[in-house]
Amino acid sequence: MAAGGGTIVVMFVVLLLTTAVEMANISPNGRRGLLANGLADTPPMGWNSWNHFSCNINETVIKQTADALISTGLAKLGYKYVNIDDCWAEYKRDQKGNLVAKITTFPSGIKDLADYVHNKGLKLGIYGDAGSMTCSKTMPGSLGYEEQDAKTFASWGIDYLKYDNCNNEGLKPTYRYPIMTRALMNTGRPIFFSLCEWGDMHPALWGSMLGNSWRTTNDINDSWNSMMYIADMNEFYADYARPGGWNDPDMLEVGNGGMTKDEYVVHFSIWAISKAPLLIGCDVRDVTNETLGILGNKEVIAVNQDRLGVQAKKVRMEGDLEVWAGPLSNYRVVVLLVNRGPAGSLITAHWDDIGLPPNTAVVARDLWLHKKLRQRSVGNLTAIVGSHACKMFVLKPVS
C-alpha cells in the first residue's frame, strides 16, 4: 500500500511539472524558465494593505503608510515595498480596455502614487488577478488582458505584482500564470512577481520558473491556530525555496491584535527562518512599541535576509515541542525552539538533528534577548520555553 501510494504521488508530481513546462514553454533544465528579472536574491520586505484594511483603502492611507515606514525606521531595516491589495480599481475598464484607478478612493491615479512612494526611496506594489474578476469582485481581473495590464503597470512605475487566483473560469494556473510572466518580462521593467495561487496545485513545484514567490497555503487569519497550521503547510516545501524564488505562507499578522506578544514572536520567528516574504499586515501609522520591537528585530531580520538563502525545517517534534533549524552563511546554524503546548517546558536541540558534528563547540546567541549565552554548548542546547512561545538562537562553531 505504501509503495503504491508513493508511486502515485511521484506520478502526480511529474505530471504537474510536465504540465507547467508544456504550458509555459519552459526548459526543464533551467530553474528561472520564463522569469529573468534579477530580483529576490533575498525575500522581499514591505507592507500590504489587505490583512488590516481589506477593501477600505485609499491613496491617503497608502501615502501615510509610506511616510510611517520612514518615520518608524522600518524602511531602513529593509521594509521597502508598499503594496496595494484588492479593490483599488473601477468596476469596469475604460473604452480602450485599460484598468482605471477608482476615482473616489485613488483620484490622483496610481502613477502619482508611485511617484510619491519612489520619492521616499520606497517601491510600490499592486494587486491583480489571473481570472476575469478579482477576489472581491469589485474590479476586473487580467485574464485575456495580460499584455495590456502588464504595460499599464510598467507605465505607472509598479515594482511588485501580487497576482491572485479567483474567478479563473476553470483554467489551470499552469496555463494562466505563464502568460503574465511573459507579459511582465516584455515590458522591460523589473517587477517582482508574486504568484498568489494559494498552494492549490503545489506551485512550489513549478513556481520558480514563473515568479519570485508563490503562495503555499490558503489565507492566514490573525489567530494562533491559523498561523501555526500555515507554518506547517509551508514547511513541507522548504527544499524549493532559494535565492530568486521563495515560498510564501502569506502576509504577517503581527500587530493586528488577535494573538499574544509571545505568539507574534513565534509568528515572526518562523516566517524569518522560513525565508518567507516579510510583508507587514498591520496599520503602521498607529503601531505600538511592542509591535515595532517584533517587526524591527534586526537580528531576526538578518536571518531572513541571510545570503545563503536556505529555508529552515522542522527537524524534531515531540508532541507539542518542536525544533526548527537551518544553515546560515559563514558556517552558522539558526535554531528555533517552539512550544505549542499549554505549559512551559524544556526543549533540547541535538547537534545530530540540526546538522552539526557531535563534538562541535558553539557560541550561541539569543536573538530575542540580544545576548550570547555564557557558556559554550557542545552536543546539544537546552532552554525553557513558555507556552505558545519560542527561543531563537544563532549557533557559531568555535575552535
Side-chain angles (χ1 to χ4, degrees):
M1 182 67 177
T7 301
I8 292 172
V9 170
V10 170
M11 290 175 65
F12 178 62
V13 170
V14 170
L15 178 61
L16 280 175
L17 287 171
T18 302
T19 301
V21 169
E22 289 175 348
M23 291 293 190
N25 192 26
I26 299 166
S27 168
N29 298 319
R31 170 181 166 84
R32 291 276 26 106
L34 291 177
L35 189 73
N37 58 18
L39 301 176
D41 284 346
T42 60
M45 297 175 61
W47 174 89
N48 180 284
S49 60
W50 186 258
N51 283 1
H52 186 84
F53 292 96
S54 187
C55 278
N56 299 314
I57 54 171
N58 56 60
E59 64 183 42
T60 300
V61 168
I62 304 304
K63 289 181 177 180
Q64 289 178 347
T65 296
D67 295 343
L69 288 174
I70 302 293
S71 64
T72 57
L74 289 168
K76 285 186 177 180
L77 297 176
Y79 294 98
K80 297 293 188 182
Y81 287 103
V82 182
N83 292 350
I84 309 167
D85 211 283
D86 202 352
C87 311
W88 59 268
E90 292 287 1
Y91 182 74
K92 292 184 178 180
R93 296 172 180 270
D94 69 13
Q95 290 182 345
K96 295 182 179 179
N98 296 313
L99 292 169
V100 180
K102 196 171 183 179
I103 191 65
T104 57
T105 50
F106 293 89
S108 302
I110 304 301
K111 177 65 167 65
D112 177 81
L113 199 52
D115 291 344
Y116 184 91
V117 169
H118 290 158
N119 286 336
K120 297 282 181 179
L122 303 174
K123 298 178 181 294
L124 187 70
I126 208 160
Y127 169 95
D129 191 280
S132 57
M133 296 287 288
T134 64
C135 294
S136 68
K137 295 186 178 181
T138 64
M139 56 174 279
S142 292
L143 185 63
Y145 290 85
E146 291 87 355
E147 285 285 344
Q148 187 167 357
D149 290 352
K151 289 178 182 177
T152 297
F153 297 149
S155 71
W156 287 343
I158 293 300
D159 304 293
Y160 185 117
L161 174 62
K162 174 184 174 182
Y163 203 48
D164 221 330
N165 193 33
C166 288
N167 304 300
N168 54 49
E169 300 185 6
L171 297 171
K172 289 183 178 180
T174 47
Y175 171 81
R176 288 175 287 108
Y177 280 86
I179 302 173
M180 181 55 85
T181 302
R182 286 195 191 93
L184 292 174
M185 291 301 299
N186 288 341
T187 69
R189 180 176 179 81
I191 298 176
F192 185 104
F193 192 26
S194 169
L195 313 180
C196 186
E197 189 262 6
W198 326 317
D200 182 26
M201 288 189 67
H202 306 282
L205 305 181
W206 47 267
S208 65
M209 298 179 284
L210 305 176
N212 299 111
S213 67
W214 44 87
R215 278 279 295 278
T216 53
T217 70
N218 265 319
D219 290 0
I220 193 171
N221 66 55
D222 189 15
S223 69
W224 170 259
N225 287 338
S226 170
M227 183 271 292
M228 291 304 299
Y229 172 78
I230 282 176
D232 292 339
M233 294 288 291
N234 186 68
E235 189 264 345
F236 181 79
Y237 298 105
D239 289 337
Y240 296 94
R242 66 193 74 174
W246 307 101
N247 291 318
D248 178 7
D250 207 3
M251 299 161 294
L252 294 165
E253 291 283 6
V254 178
N256 279 329
M259 289 183 255
T260 67
K261 178 185 177 181
D262 284 345
E263 290 171 342
Y264 280 140
V265 167
V266 174
H267 180 14
F268 194 68
S269 299
I270 292 179
W271 263 236
I273 66 171
S274 299
K275 302 300 187 288
L278 297 182
L279 298 176
I280 298 169
C282 67
D283 186 354
V284 295
R285 304 172 306 166
D286 186 30
V287 68
T288 65
N289 288 333
E290 180 176 284
T291 296
L292 276 179
I294 298 171
L295 297 173
N297 187 321
K298 295 180 182 179
E299 296 188 73
V300 176
I301 290 172
V303 169
N304 177 261
Q305 297 291 297
D306 185 76
R307 289 287 172 173
L308 190 61
V310 177
Q311 181 173 329
K313 298 179 181 180
K314 200 182 304 185
V315 297
R316 181 176 285 266
M317 294 179 292
E318 295 181 355
D320 292 322
L321 311 179
E322 299 178 349
V323 179
W324 299 60
L328 300 174
S329 57
N330 299 319
Y331 307 102
R332 299 169 301 148
V333 176
V334 62
V335 174
L336 184 68
L337 311 178
V338 179
N339 182 357
R340 300 168 78 144
S345 183
L346 286 171
I347 304 180
T348 299
H350 297 276
W351 277 198
D352 59 346
D353 288 329
I354 66 176
L356 288 172
N359 296 322
T360 303
V362 304
V363 172
R365 182 168 178 83
D366 187 316
L367 302 193
W368 286 104
L369 294 181
H370 303 294
K371 66 180 184 181
K372 292 181 181 178
L373 302 189
R374 291 182 180 179
Q375 294 182 331
R376 295 179 179 181
S377 299
V378 179
N380 64 72
L381 176 66
T382 299
I384 298 174
V385 183
S387 170
H388 288 200
C390 68
K391 291 280 188 178
M392 188 173 183
F393 303 95
V394 166
L395 310 183
K396 184 177 181 180
V398 294
S399 301

mmCIF file of all heavy atoms in Angstrom, residues 30 32 41-42 125 143 156 165 175 210 262 303 371 376 379 397:
data_model
loop_
_atom_site.group_PDB
_atom_site.id
_atom_site.type_symbol
_atom_site.label_atom_id
_atom_site.label_comp_id
_atom_site.label_asym_id
_atom_site.label_seq_id
_atom_site.Cartn_x
_atom_site.Cartn_y
_atom_site.Cartn_z
ATOM 1 N N GLY A 30 16.364 24.521 -16.780
ATOM 2 C CA GLY A 30 16.674 25.845 -16.236
ATOM 3 C C GLY A 30 15.680 26.257 -15.185
ATOM 4 O O GLY A 30 14.487 26.300 -15.435
ATOM 5 N N ARG A 32 15.088 29.239 -13.851
ATOM 6 C CA ARG A 32 14.403 30.505 -13.996
ATOM 7 C C ARG A 32 13.319 30.478 -15.059
ATOM 8 O O ARG A 32 12.401 31.279 -14.995
ATOM 9 C CB ARG A 32 15.414 31.612 -14.308
ATOM 10 C CG ARG A 32 16.294 31.901 -13.132
ATOM 11 C CD ARG A 32 15.783 32.861 -12.078
ATOM 12 N NE ARG A 32 14.380 33.033 -11.885
ATOM 13 C CZ ARG A 32 13.705 32.549 -10.871
ATOM 14 N NH1 ARG A 32 14.296 31.800 -9.977
ATOM 15 N NH2 ARG A 32 12.442 32.791 -10.732
ATOM 16 N N ASP A 41 16.938 38.179 -4.617
ATOM 17 C CA ASP A 41 18.076 37.432 -4.080
ATOM 18 C C ASP A 41 17.846 37.092 -2.610
ATOM 19 O O ASP A 41 18.354 36.095 -2.102
ATOM 20 C CB ASP A 41 19.363 38.254 -4.216
ATOM 21 C CG ASP A 41 19.887 38.265 -5.638
ATOM 22 O OD1 ASP A 41 19.415 37.433 -6.444
ATOM 23 O OD2 ASP A 41 20.741 39.102 -5.952
ATOM 24 N N THR A 42 17.097 37.938 -1.926
ATOM 25 C CA THR A 42 16.613 37.648 -0.570
ATOM 26 C C THR A 42 15.106 37.878 -0.569
ATOM 27 O O THR A 42 14.574 38.543 -1.464
ATOM 28 C CB THR A 42 17.288 38.556 0.479
ATOM 29 O OG1 THR A 42 17.001 39.929 0.162
ATOM 30 C CG2 THR A 42 18.796 38.340 0.513
ATOM 31 N N GLY A 125 3.820 48.413 -4.856
ATOM 32 C CA GLY A 125 3.266 47.167 -5.353
ATOM 33 C C GLY A 125 1.777 47.301 -5.599
ATOM 34 O O GLY A 125 1.112 48.152 -5.023
ATOM 35 N N LEU A 143 -7.299 38.235 -16.883
ATOM 36 C CA LEU A 143 -7.420 37.129 -17.834
ATOM 37 C C LEU A 143 -7.810 37.660 -19.208
ATOM 38 O O LEU A 143 -8.853 38.309 -19.371
ATOM 39 C CB LEU A 143 -8.462 36.126 -17.334
ATOM 40 C CG LEU A 143 -8.619 34.842 -18.164
ATOM 41 C CD1 LEU A 143 -7.323 34.032 -18.158
ATOM 42 C CD2 LEU A 143 -9.778 33.990 -17.628
ATOM 43 N N TRP A 156 3.039 52.889 -15.054
ATOM 44 C CA TRP A 156 2.783 53.568 -13.783
ATOM 45 C C TRP A 156 3.992 53.550 -12.849
ATOM 46 O O TRP A 156 4.028 54.294 -11.883
ATOM 47 C CB TRP A 156 1.608 52.905 -13.073
ATOM 48 C CG TRP A 156 0.269 53.180 -13.688
ATOM 49 C CD1 TRP A 156 -0.048 54.173 -14.571
ATOM 50 C CD2 TRP A 156 -0.938 52.446 -13.459
ATOM 51 N NE1 TRP A 156 -1.375 54.106 -14.905
ATOM 52 C CE2 TRP A 156 -1.946 53.054 -14.231
ATOM 53 C CE3 TRP A 156 -1.275 51.341 -12.682
ATOM 54 C CZ2 TRP A 156 -3.265 52.590 -14.245
ATOM 55 C CZ3 TRP A 156 -2.578 50.874 -12.692
ATOM 56 C CH2 TRP A 156 -3.568 51.500 -13.465
ATOM 57 N N ASN A 165 -5.888 34.334 -7.747
ATOM 58 C CA ASN A 165 -6.316 33.144 -8.486
ATOM 59 C C ASN A 165 -7.833 32.971 -8.518
ATOM 60 O O ASN A 165 -8.330 31.883 -8.779
ATOM 61 C CB ASN A 165 -5.651 31.910 -7.856
ATOM 62 C CG ASN A 165 -5.770 30.666 -8.703
ATOM 63 O OD1 ASN A 165 -5.775 30.728 -9.927
ATOM 64 N ND2 ASN A 165 -5.866 29.513 -8.057
ATOM 65 N N TYR A 175 -1.483 27.278 -16.827
ATOM 66 C CA TYR A 175 -1.763 27.911 -18.119
ATOM 67 C C TYR A 175 -1.808 29.430 -17.978
ATOM 68 O O TYR A 175 -1.247 30.168 -18.803
ATOM 69 C CB TYR A 175 -3.094 27.400 -18.676
ATOM 70 C CG TYR A 175 -3.560 28.162 -19.892
ATOM 71 C CD1 TYR A 175 -3.048 27.885 -21.156
ATOM 72 C CD2 TYR A 175 -4.507 29.174 -19.778
ATOM 73 C CE1 TYR A 175 -3.459 28.594 -22.265
ATOM 74 C CE2 TYR A 175 -4.933 29.906 -20.887
ATOM 75 C CZ TYR A 175 -4.405 29.610 -22.119
ATOM 76 O OH TYR A 175 -4.812 30.316 -23.221
ATOM 77 N N LEU A 210 8.304 30.753 -12.944
ATOM 78 C CA LEU A 210 7.371 31.788 -13.370
ATOM 79 C C LEU A 210 7.373 33.020 -12.485
ATOM 80 O O LEU A 210 7.014 34.108 -12.946
ATOM 81 C CB LEU A 210 5.943 31.227 -13.401
ATOM 82 C CG LEU A 210 5.696 29.982 -14.239
ATOM 83 C CD1 LEU A 210 4.254 29.521 -14.084
ATOM 84 C CD2 LEU A 210 6.020 30.247 -15.701
ATOM 85 N N ASP A 262 3.863 36.856 22.793
ATOM 86 C CA ASP A 262 4.676 35.650 22.588
ATOM 87 C C ASP A 262 4.294 34.937 21.294
ATOM 88 O O ASP A 262 5.161 34.428 20.572
ATOM 89 C CB ASP A 262 4.523 34.686 23.766
ATOM 90 C CG ASP A 262 5.310 35.133 24.988
ATOM 91 O OD1 ASP A 262 6.180 36.008 24.851
ATOM 92 O OD2 ASP A 262 5.048 34.589 26.080
ATOM 93 N N VAL A 303 18.483 36.949 9.784
ATOM 94 C CA VAL A 303 18.320 35.522 9.470
ATOM 95 C C VAL A 303 17.485 35.364 8.210
ATOM 96 O O VAL A 303 17.811 34.589 7.308
ATOM 97 C CB VAL A 303 17.677 34.776 10.653
ATOM 98 C CG1 VAL A 303 17.253 33.369 10.249
ATOM 99 C CG2 VAL A 303 18.641 34.719 11.836
ATOM 100 N N LYS A 371 21.627 38.608 23.391
ATOM 101 C CA LYS A 371 22.852 38.366 24.163
ATOM 102 C C LYS A 371 23.348 36.946 23.920
ATOM 103 O O LYS A 371 22.577 36.048 23.565
ATOM 104 C CB LYS A 371 22.602 38.589 25.648
ATOM 105 C CG LYS A 371 21.635 37.604 26.300
ATOM 106 C CD LYS A 371 21.460 37.914 27.780
ATOM 107 C CE LYS A 371 20.574 36.881 28.472
ATOM 108 N NZ LYS A 371 20.391 37.195 29.911
ATOM 109 N N ARG A 376 29.832 27.983 26.346
ATOM 110 C CA ARG A 376 29.759 27.339 25.052
ATOM 111 C C ARG A 376 28.963 26.039 25.164
ATOM 112 O O ARG A 376 28.985 25.384 26.208
ATOM 113 C CB ARG A 376 31.158 27.043 24.524
ATOM 114 C CG ARG A 376 31.979 28.298 24.241
ATOM 115 C CD ARG A 376 33.363 27.940 23.743
ATOM 116 N NE ARG A 376 34.137 29.142 23.450
ATOM 117 C CZ ARG A 376 35.379 29.138 22.976
ATOM 118 N NH1 ARG A 376 35.994 27.983 22.749
ATOM 119 N NH2 ARG A 376 36.007 30.266 22.729
ATOM 120 N N GLY A 379 27.268 19.489 21.685
ATOM 121 C CA GLY A 379 26.381 18.331 21.563
ATOM 122 C C GLY A 379 24.909 18.639 21.552
ATOM 123 O O GLY A 379 24.135 17.996 20.847
ATOM 124 N N PRO A 397 30.057 27.905 15.310
ATOM 125 C CA PRO A 397 31.106 26.990 15.758
ATOM 126 C C PRO A 397 32.402 27.732 16.108
ATOM 127 O O PRO A 397 32.751 28.728 15.467
ATOM 128 C CB PRO A 397 31.314 26.081 14.548
ATOM 129 C CG PRO A 397 30.030 26.175 13.781
ATOM 130 C CD PRO A 397 29.565 27.571 13.965
#
